[in-house]
Amino acid sequence: MSGIKKLAGQTLWYGVPTIVARFMGYLMNMALPFLFAQPAVTADITQVYAMIPFLNILFTYGMETAYFKFSQDKDKHQLFNTISIALFTTSLVFVALLYFNKESIARWANLEAHPEYILYMIGILLFDTLSTLPFAKLRQENRPRRYAFVRLIGILLNVSIVFLFLGFLPGYVSNHPESPLRLIQQLDIGIGWYLIGNLLGSILTFLLLVKELRGFEWNFDKDLFKEVMQYSYPLIIVGLGGMVNDVLSRLIYQHVVDLPEAEAKHELGIFANVYRLAVLITIFIQAFRMAAEPYFFNQSKEEGAQKGYARVMKFFVLACCFMFLLIGLNLDFLKWIITLKSAAWGEGIYIVPLLAMGNIFLGIYYNLSIWYKLTGKNLYGAYITLIGAVITILLNILLIPVLHYLGAAIATFACYLVMMILSYYWGQKYYPVPYAKKKLISYLVLVSLIVGLHRLILMAYSPLWFSLLTGLLLLAGFVYFVSKVEEKEWKKVRRQT
C-alpha cells in the first residue's frame, strides 16, 4: 500500500474516536438549548474548557512530539521511561500549584459560584497528561485500532454520564418523586455534570492504558532528558501560542466586551456554540495530526520525502475544502437545528464560514510545520506562534468591543492566515517542499466563492428546502470539477494500492 493510502487509513482510524468525540460533544452541546433556556448558563464551562488547553500545554511541555523525534535513533525503552518519569513528577507539581491557588483562579475566571469546577479541571488535566505518553506509544507503533478503542470507551462513559444525569434523571425524578435518585438530583450539580463526565472518562481512559506501561522501569536518564528538553522547550512556546490563538477570544471575551455581565455571558455562550459549528474542519485536522506526525518523521529519511509531503498537502487541502463546503452550504440547516427551542442560539451563525476558513489555514500551518520539526529549528515555530499570538491579542482587544463575536472571528482568521504564510516562507528557505501552491490557493478561493454565491442566491429566495437543494448542487459541482482536474492523481493512487 502506498504511503499516502496508509496515511489516509491511519487518519481514518485516529479520526474515528475524534469524530465520535466531537460528534458526541456536539450532540451534548446541541442538547444545551433544550436543557437550559439561556446561552449564558453555558458561559462557566466555556471558561473552564478555554483554560484546559492552555494548562495541558504546560503539563505535557512538548514531550509527545519529542518522543516521536527521539524514538527514531534512541533506545525506545529508555526514552519511554525517562519521559514518563518526567511527566509524572511535573504533573504532581502542577497539580499542587493549581490546587493551592484554586480560589484565585476561580475569581479570575468568574467562577466564584462554582469553585468545584476548578477541582474537576485539575483532575482532567492530571489523568489526560498521564495518558499522553501511552497514547503516543500506540501512535508511534502504528496501532491506531487500539488507540481508537481506548479513546472511544472513555468518550462513551463521558457522554453516558452527561445524558444520564442531565437528560434522563430530571424527568425521571419529576415523575417518581419518591425514588432514591432524587438525592442525586437535589445535589443541584447542573451543567457541572459535563465536567464530571469528562473527569470520569479521563480516569477510565488512563486505566485502560495501564497495559501500555508494562515494562516501565524507574530509570531516569538525565543526559537524555536534557537532550529531549533542548528539542522540546520551543514547542512549549509553540503550544502556548497556539492555544492563545485558539481559545483566547473565549477566555477574555467577558473581560473586553463592553456589556453588563449577564449580556456578556449571553454572548459568550452564543459565540462558543457557533464556534463549534466548524467542527468538521477541526475534527479532520486533529485526526490528520494524529496520523501525520509519526508518518512525517518515519518518512523523513526516505528518498523523495518532500514530494510525498507535497502530495499529502494537496489531499489535505482538498479534504478541508470539501468539509468547508459541507459547513458553508448548510448554514441554514444548522441554524434550524440549534434554534428549535430558542432563536437566541442561532445568533452569530454568519461568522461560521470565516471561522471554518481560519481553521483550514491552521490545518495547512500544521502541515507546513513539519519543516522545523524535522530540521530541529523549533525556535522558528515559536516565533511564528508568538507573532500569531500578538495578532490574536491585539485584534481581540480592538475588535471585540466594537464587533463582538465577529471581531473575534476576524482575529482568528487573520492570525492563522499570517501563521500559514510565515511558515511557508521560512519552510521553503530551510526545507523546500514542492507544494502545488497556485492550485491549492485556487481551490481555497473557489470554495469561498461558492459559499458566497450560495448566500447571494438565498437573498432572493430562501426556503430551507431550496437552501439544501442548491447547496447540494453546488457541492456536487465542486466534486465533479476536482475529479476532472485531479484525474491523473486519482489514477496514480489506485495504481499504488
Side-chain angles (χ1 to χ4, degrees):
M1 181 180 293
S2 71
I4 296 291
K5 296 198 74 172
K6 182 178 180 181
L7 176 60
Q10 291 192 358
T11 298
L12 177 63
W13 276 105
Y14 290 121
V16 167
T18 306
I19 290 168
V20 172
R22 291 301 185 103
F23 183 69
M24 290 299 182
Y26 187 62
L27 285 181
M28 290 191 292
N29 292 322
M30 291 277 286
L32 289 174
F34 300 95
L35 298 172
F36 305 100
Q38 296 299 324
V41 177
T42 68
D44 288 342
I45 61 167
T46 296
Q47 287 288 87
V48 174
Y49 281 113
M51 289 189 288
I52 286 177
F54 277 103
L55 294 169
N56 186 59
I57 298 298
L58 293 176
F59 270 69
T60 57
Y61 51 97
M63 288 295 103
E64 185 179 41
T65 300
Y67 179 74
F68 295 136
K69 168 69 174 177
F70 286 92
S71 63
Q72 302 299 308
D73 50 21
K74 300 292 183 182
D75 181 271
K76 294 180 182 180
H77 183 65
Q78 184 61 54
L79 179 67
F80 186 84
N81 289 337
T82 299
I83 296 180
S84 294
I85 293 169
L87 284 175
F88 176 74
T89 304
T90 53
S91 292
L92 294 182
V93 173
F94 289 142
V95 163
L97 289 172
L98 291 174
Y99 178 79
F100 290 114
N101 290 279
K102 58 183 183 295
E103 289 85 4
S104 299
I105 297 171
R107 283 195 299 273
W108 179 85
N110 294 330
L111 293 172
E112 294 95 334
H114 296 286
E116 70 276 9
Y117 288 3
I118 304 301
L119 296 178
Y120 301 151
M121 179 186 74
I122 293 172
I124 292 168
L125 286 165
L126 173 62
F127 287 100
D128 283 353
T129 302
L130 295 178
S131 299
T132 297
L133 208 57
F135 272 131
K137 183 180 179 183
L138 291 175
R139 290 167 59 195
Q140 200 278 330
E141 294 175 352
N142 292 322
R143 298 165 61 195
R145 290 173 176 80
R146 167 75 176 160
Y147 177 97
F149 170 76
V150 175
R151 282 287 191 198
L152 287 173
I153 295 299
I155 293 163
L156 290 174
L157 177 62
N158 181 359
V159 173
S160 298
I161 288 172
V162 170
F163 280 105
L164 174 63
F165 291 103
L166 280 179
F168 168 76
L169 189 63
Y172 181 83
V173 171
S174 177
N175 294 324
H176 303 82
E178 301 303 319
S179 171
L181 294 177
R182 73 183 186 281
L183 299 176
I184 298 176
Q185 185 68 10
Q186 289 171 1
L187 294 175
D188 194 27
I189 294 174
I191 204 168
W193 284 113
Y194 274 69
L195 291 168
I196 293 175
N198 193 335
L199 174 58
L200 294 178
S202 295
I203 293 172
L204 178 59
T205 296
F206 171 70
L207 294 176
L208 291 173
L209 288 169
V210 169
K211 181 181 177 181
E212 309 308 321
L213 297 174
R214 289 178 182 173
F216 168 77
E217 298 173 354
W218 196 268
N219 185 7
F220 187 79
D221 188 327
K222 293 182 180 179
D223 293 332
L224 176 59
F225 183 67
K226 288 179 181 178
E227 192 175 351
V228 168
M229 281 303 298
Q230 186 175 3
Y231 173 83
S232 67
Y233 83 85
L235 297 178
I236 304 173
I237 302 173
V238 172
L240 288 174
M243 286 304 105
V244 167
N245 301 329
D246 186 32
V247 303
L248 182 76
S249 56
R250 283 158 285 169
L251 195 60
I252 69 170
Y253 197 95
Q254 294 181 83
H255 299 280
V256 298
V257 70
D258 187 20
L259 291 172
E261 182 178 345
E263 292 182 40
K265 284 184 177 289
H266 173 80
E267 284 200 359
L268 177 59
I270 292 170
F271 177 58
N273 191 60
V274 168
Y275 199 97
R276 298 182 191 107
L277 293 179
V279 66
L280 286 177
I281 303 292
T282 52
I283 283 173
F284 179 70
I285 291 172
Q286 186 175 346
F288 175 82
R289 289 183 68 193
M290 291 291 179
E293 195 164 39
Y295 169 83
F296 283 147
F297 279 114
N298 291 335
Q299 293 292 313
S300 61
K301 297 178 182 179
E302 299 291 330
E303 184 178 352
Q306 285 93 330
K307 290 184 179 179
Y309 298 157
R311 292 184 70 205
V312 169
M313 174 69 85
K314 181 165 65 175
F315 286 114
F316 175 83
V317 170
L318 283 173
C320 284
C321 286
F322 177 76
M323 287 181 286
F324 177 79
L325 290 178
L326 280 179
I327 295 170
L329 298 177
N330 289 284
L331 284 182
D332 293 326
F333 178 67
L334 293 172
K335 183 176 181 179
W336 174 74
I337 292 176
I338 65 176
T339 57
L340 285 174
K341 185 174 182 179
S342 172
W345 287 92
E347 296 176 22
I349 199 167
Y350 62 91
I351 68 173
V352 170
L354 196 61
L355 290 170
M357 184 57 71
N359 276 281
I360 290 178
F361 295 155
L362 175 62
I364 295 173
Y365 164 73
Y366 284 141
N367 218 316
L368 293 168
S369 68
I370 192 63
W371 73 264
Y372 63 73
K373 294 177 182 178
L374 289 176
T375 59
K377 296 183 181 297
N378 291 338
L379 277 175
Y380 279 89
Y383 299 151
I384 293 170
T385 50
L386 286 176
I387 292 170
V390 170
I391 293 172
T392 297
I393 293 168
L394 289 177
L395 290 183
N396 273 293
I397 292 174
L398 291 174
L399 298 181
I400 288 178
V402 180
L403 301 174
H404 300 249
Y405 28 72
L406 175 60
I410 293 172
T412 297
F413 180 91
C415 164
Y416 293 148
L417 175 61
V418 171
M419 288 175 61
M420 176 185 68
I421 293 172
L422 288 176
S423 188
Y424 175 79
Y425 173 76
W426 278 327
Q428 293 302 96
K429 183 177 180 180
Y430 292 104
Y431 190 82
V433 176
Y435 296 116
K437 180 178 67 174
K438 292 181 179 179
K439 180 179 285 188
L440 299 184
I441 292 174
S442 298
Y443 284 144
L444 293 174
V445 171
L446 177 60
V447 295
S448 299
L449 291 175
I450 289 173
V451 170
L453 174 63
H454 188 237
R455 301 318 300 175
L456 285 175
I457 292 172
L458 295 179
M459 290 177 66
Y461 188 66
S462 58
L464 182 58
W465 69 267
F466 183 73
S467 175
L468 291 172
L469 177 60
T470 52
L472 181 62
L473 292 174
L474 289 170
L475 178 61
F478 175 76
V479 171
Y480 177 78
F481 172 76
V482 170
S483 69
K484 290 299 182 182
V485 173
E486 301 293 344
E487 187 173 4
K488 292 182 179 179
E489 185 68 78
W490 305 134
K491 290 180 179 178
K492 185 177 179 180
V493 171
R494 285 195 292 269
R495 285 197 302 268
Q496 292 175 340
T497 301

